Short mmCIF file of all heavy atoms in Angstrom, two decimals:
data_model
loop_
_atom_site.label_atom_id
_atom_site.label_comp_id
_atom_site.label_asym_id
_atom_site.label_seq_id
_atom_site.Cartn_x
_atom_site.Cartn_y
_atom_site.Cartn_z
N SER C 1101 18.82 158.30 92.00
CA SER C 1101 19.32 158.02 90.64
C SER C 1101 18.36 157.07 89.92
O SER C 1101 18.11 157.19 88.73
CB SER C 1101 20.73 157.41 90.67
OG SER C 1101 20.76 156.17 91.29
N TYR C 1176 21.28 164.37 84.68
CA TYR C 1176 21.37 163.95 83.28
C TYR C 1176 20.78 162.53 83.11
O TYR C 1176 20.97 161.70 83.99
CB TYR C 1176 22.81 163.92 82.78
CG TYR C 1176 23.49 165.32 82.84
CD1 TYR C 1176 24.06 165.75 84.02
CD2 TYR C 1176 23.47 166.15 81.78
CE1 TYR C 1176 24.67 167.04 84.13
CE2 TYR C 1176 24.06 167.43 81.88
CZ TYR C 1176 24.63 167.85 83.02
OH TYR C 1176 25.14 169.14 83.12
N GLY C 1178 20.24 159.17 80.14
CA GLY C 1178 20.93 158.66 78.97
C GLY C 1178 20.41 157.24 78.76
O GLY C 1178 19.21 157.09 78.69
N ALA C 1179 21.28 156.28 78.70
CA ALA C 1179 20.85 154.90 78.58
C ALA C 1179 20.07 154.51 79.78
O ALA C 1179 20.24 155.08 80.87
CB ALA C 1179 22.03 153.97 78.32
N HIS C 1181 19.31 152.31 82.66
CA HIS C 1181 19.57 151.22 83.64
C HIS C 1181 18.28 150.72 84.19
O HIS C 1181 18.05 149.59 84.41
CB HIS C 1181 20.49 151.77 84.75
CG HIS C 1181 20.75 150.79 85.83
ND1 HIS C 1181 21.42 149.58 85.61
CD2 HIS C 1181 20.45 150.83 87.15
CE1 HIS C 1181 21.47 148.93 86.75
NE2 HIS C 1181 20.91 149.67 87.67
N SER C 1185 16.66 156.19 84.56
CA SER C 1185 17.68 156.48 85.61
C SER C 1185 18.40 157.78 85.25
O SER C 1185 18.36 158.30 84.10
CB SER C 1185 18.68 155.34 85.61
OG SER C 1185 19.27 155.11 84.36
N GLN C 1186 19.07 158.36 86.26
CA GLN C 1186 19.78 159.60 86.04
C GLN C 1186 21.08 159.61 86.81
O GLN C 1186 21.31 158.77 87.71
CB GLN C 1186 18.92 160.79 86.52
CG GLN C 1186 18.55 160.75 88.02
CD GLN C 1186 17.62 161.88 88.41
OE1 GLN C 1186 17.34 162.81 87.64
NE2 GLN C 1186 17.13 161.86 89.67
N TYR C 1187 21.98 160.54 86.43
CA TYR C 1187 23.21 160.73 87.19
C TYR C 1187 23.40 162.23 87.33
O TYR C 1187 22.64 163.04 86.77
CB TYR C 1187 24.44 160.07 86.46
CG TYR C 1187 24.68 160.55 85.06
CD1 TYR C 1187 25.60 161.59 84.79
CD2 TYR C 1187 24.04 159.98 83.94
CE1 TYR C 1187 25.85 162.00 83.49
CE2 TYR C 1187 24.32 160.37 82.67
CZ TYR C 1187 25.20 161.39 82.47
OH TYR C 1187 25.47 161.81 81.16
N ALA C 1199 28.08 158.94 88.99
CA ALA C 1199 27.40 158.18 87.94
C ALA C 1199 26.34 157.24 88.46
O ALA C 1199 25.48 156.80 87.70
CB ALA C 1199 28.41 157.40 87.11
N SER C 1200 26.45 156.85 89.74
CA SER C 1200 25.61 155.79 90.23
C SER C 1200 25.70 154.60 89.32
O SER C 1200 26.71 154.28 88.81
CB SER C 1200 24.19 156.28 90.53
OG SER C 1200 23.45 155.33 91.25
N ASP C 1201 24.59 153.86 89.07
CA ASP C 1201 24.65 152.64 88.29
C ASP C 1201 24.69 152.85 86.80
O ASP C 1201 24.72 151.89 86.04
CB ASP C 1201 23.44 151.72 88.62
CG ASP C 1201 23.64 151.03 89.97
OD1 ASP C 1201 24.57 151.38 90.68
OD2 ASP C 1201 22.79 150.21 90.32
N ASN C 1202 24.75 154.07 86.39
CA ASN C 1202 24.91 154.38 84.97
C ASN C 1202 26.40 154.06 84.55
O ASN C 1202 26.71 153.95 83.36
CB ASN C 1202 24.62 155.83 84.66
CG ASN C 1202 23.16 156.09 84.87
OD1 ASN C 1202 22.30 155.69 84.07
ND2 ASN C 1202 22.83 156.73 86.02
N CYS C 1203 27.28 153.89 85.56
CA CYS C 1203 28.63 153.34 85.36
C CYS C 1203 29.01 152.58 86.61
O CYS C 1203 29.24 153.24 87.65
CB CYS C 1203 29.60 154.47 85.04
SG CYS C 1203 31.28 153.94 84.81
N TYR C 1204 29.05 151.28 86.53
CA TYR C 1204 29.32 150.43 87.77
C TYR C 1204 30.68 150.60 88.27
O TYR C 1204 30.98 150.72 89.45
CB TYR C 1204 29.07 148.97 87.41
CG TYR C 1204 27.68 148.47 87.77
CD1 TYR C 1204 26.56 149.23 87.73
CD2 TYR C 1204 27.53 147.14 88.28
CE1 TYR C 1204 25.34 148.71 88.02
CE2 TYR C 1204 26.34 146.64 88.66
CZ TYR C 1204 25.19 147.43 88.53
OH TYR C 1204 24.02 146.91 88.85
N VAL C 1215 27.78 148.56 81.02
CA VAL C 1215 27.33 147.87 82.22
C VAL C 1215 26.57 146.70 81.89
O VAL C 1215 25.61 146.75 81.09
CB VAL C 1215 26.56 148.90 83.14
CG1 VAL C 1215 26.03 148.15 84.39
CG2 VAL C 1215 27.48 150.04 83.51
N PHE C 1218 22.65 146.52 81.60
CA PHE C 1218 21.89 147.18 80.54
C PHE C 1218 21.47 146.16 79.47
O PHE C 1218 22.24 145.19 79.24
CB PHE C 1218 22.76 148.25 79.93
CG PHE C 1218 22.78 149.55 80.69
CD1 PHE C 1218 23.50 149.67 81.89
CD2 PHE C 1218 22.10 150.66 80.24
CE1 PHE C 1218 23.53 150.83 82.61
CE2 PHE C 1218 22.15 151.86 80.93
CZ PHE C 1218 22.87 151.95 82.10
N ASN C 1226 24.73 153.43 76.57
CA ASN C 1226 25.47 153.48 77.84
C ASN C 1226 26.92 153.85 77.61
O ASN C 1226 27.43 154.69 78.31
CB ASN C 1226 25.35 152.09 78.50
CG ASN C 1226 26.01 152.04 79.87
OD1 ASN C 1226 26.56 150.99 80.22
ND2 ASN C 1226 25.93 153.12 80.63
N ALA C 1229 27.12 157.47 76.95
CA ALA C 1229 26.94 158.20 78.14
C ALA C 1229 28.30 158.34 78.91
O ALA C 1229 28.57 159.40 79.52
CB ALA C 1229 25.92 157.60 79.06
N PHE C 1230 29.18 157.32 78.86
CA PHE C 1230 30.47 157.45 79.50
C PHE C 1230 31.25 158.65 78.95
O PHE C 1230 31.90 159.36 79.71
CB PHE C 1230 31.35 156.18 79.23
CG PHE C 1230 30.77 154.91 79.79
CD1 PHE C 1230 31.14 153.69 79.33
CD2 PHE C 1230 29.82 154.89 80.87
CE1 PHE C 1230 30.64 152.51 79.85
CE2 PHE C 1230 29.32 153.74 81.38
CZ PHE C 1230 29.74 152.52 80.87
N MET C 1233 29.84 161.78 80.32
CA MET C 1233 30.28 161.97 81.74
C MET C 1233 31.64 162.55 81.83
O MET C 1233 31.95 163.45 82.62
CB MET C 1233 30.17 160.63 82.47
CG MET C 1233 28.81 160.07 82.71
SD MET C 1233 28.89 158.41 83.44
CE MET C 1233 27.24 157.83 83.17
#
Side-chain angles (χ1 to χ4, degrees):
S1101 66
Y1176 299 87
H1181 176 64
S1185 59
Q1186 61 184 354
Y1187 59 94
S1200 190
D1201 282 9
N1202 297 284
C1203 179
Y1204 262 38
V1215 175
F1218 280 71
N1226 184 214
F1230 297 160
M1233 290 175 195

